[in-house]
Amino acid sequence: MGVLNVTPDSFSDGGEWFDGDAALAHAADLIADGADILDVGGESTRPGAAPVPEHEELRRVIPIVDAVAARHPETQVSVDTSKLAVARAALDAGATYVNDVTAFRADPGMAALTAERGADCCLMHMLGEPRTMQDDPHYEDVVDDVKAFLHERLERAVAAGISEQRIVLDPGIGFGKSEQHNLELLRRLDEFGSLGVPVVAGWSRKSTLGVITGKPVGERLAASIAAALLSVQHGANILRVHDVTETRDALAVWQALRNA
Ligand code: HH2
């Protein structure tokens, strides 16, 4: 899953793809590099981020979804949103995937919309909301707590009529988690396999990698690839990344070794 942020303030690429032509050129690059899913987002969810009004998110996201879906019909276009109106308009414009970092809690209508349209969806765990989520997050046991949450969200989504084959789950690296929490989620990621649906890992450029390496966000490529490969080793099925070609190369080595 390649990330395309059409925002002025995303934590690693804010402003880079805000212009429509730049966004479409980057989408083409990510797809040529081997992204199977392109995740288009118009609202940053970085710690401390302010919410974006609906009309502004629609203005940012929909023309890009529309153009990418028309130009790259072989690629699944995902919309990274928690807003019903944005998801609906994106599905109308050719998206077939809803990536909701609130796991359909921000707008309960999301589950019904996703079911009705037969779309795929990613349900992610987040403790609290972006503005405050990094203020001393606490868990009894981070893996058990996140897993119980995702299990409940999965059951609700299925009850709303979404086929289980269309649901993937994501522990939400960096969303209301300390470095230790994130590392514990990676170390025990295989425990999420018992939920019975694919697991997403989104480590790309995240701050825990900066803490470990001491590197700023623009210099976390090697650390992101290490985390991506370790996630696969621990059972991740989908990697949400900014650097598709490098991640693909690393995965190719992994797969060659596995098949040797
Ligand atoms: N991470 C971000 C945004 N959306 N969705 C899922 N399912 N999993 C993630 O780990 C995830 C996500 C944050 O990264 P990014 O989109 O690069 O930054 P920003 O939220 O600042 O736009």
Side-chain angles (χ1 to χ4, degrees):
M1 176 185 274
V3 180
L4 180 62
N5 286 320
V6 283
T7 63
D9 60 341
S10 284
F11 81 97
S12 80
D13 55 355
E16 254 185 278
W17 322 116
F18 200 38
D19 166 74
D21 290 339
L24 289 179
H26 189 53
D29 286 345
L30 292 169
I31 291 166
D33 290 344
D36 297 315
I37 306 165
L38 195 77
D39 191 35
V40 183
E43 176 177 54
S44 174
T45 48
R46 73 182 194 288
V52 174
E54 182 178 292
H55 65 87
E56 175 60 14
E57 200 178 324
L58 285 165
R59 192 190 68 77
R60 293 177 184 179
V61 165
I62 302 309
I64 303 299
V65 168
D66 190 41
V68 173
R71 288 182 200 183
H72 306 279
E74 73 292 353
T75 304
Q76 260 201 299
V77 180
S78 159
V79 62
D80 185 352
T81 191
S82 308
K83 294 191 183 75
L84 185 66
V86 177
R88 183 184 291 118
L91 293 170
D92 288 344
T96 57
Y97 209 112
V98 178
N99 173 28
D100 183 351
V101 297
T102 75
F104 297 161
R105 288 176 300 157
D107 196 322
M110 284 285 229
L113 173 73
T114 305
E116 187 187 298
R117 301 296 185 92
D120 292 312
C121 62
C122 176
L123 306 177
M124 197 197 79
H125 175 271
M126 168 166 52
L127 188 69
E129 38 134 8
R131 197 185 286 273
T132 54
M133 65 189 177
Q134 289 308 107
D135 299 349
D136 195 24
H138 180 78
Y139 298 87
E140 283 293 313
D141 176 304
V142 66
V143 174
D144 291 350
D145 292 4
V146 170
K147 205 174 137 185
F149 169 87
L150 291 177
H151 183 240
E152 191 262 339
R153 300 315 298 172
L154 173 65
E155 289 200 323
R156 274 184 188 249
V158 170
I162 305 172
S163 156
E164 200 166 294
Q165 279 80 45
R166 298 214 169 275
I167 303 172
V168 303
L169 298 174
D170 184 337
I173 298 304
F175 285 86
K177 283 120 189 156
S178 67
E179 284 78 49
Q180 285 315 314
H181 292 142
N182 291 325
L183 289 172
E184 184 75 358
L185 286 166
L186 175 51
R187 194 172 67 79
R188 294 170 54 198
L189 193 66
D190 46 0
E191 293 181 31
F192 289 86
S194 64
L195 293 170
V197 300
V199 174
V200 180
W203 274 88
S204 188
R205 303 181 183 173
K206 288 209 173 142
S207 70
T208 291
L209 302 175
V211 173
I212 294 169
T213 60
K215 297 277 174 70
V217 70
E219 297 173 27
R220 295 180 191 159
L221 174 58
S224 298
I225 289 172
L229 281 189
L230 289 164
S231 298
V232 173
Q233 182 178 17
H234 287 271
N237 308 98
I238 298 173
L239 300 172
R240 184 180 182 277
V241 305
H242 300 86
D243 301 289
V244 172
T245 195
E246 294 85 351
T247 310
R248 274 278 185 202
D249 284 355
L251 273 178
V253 176
W254 170 276
Q255 276 159 348
L257 180 64
R258 213 183 42 177
N259 298 334

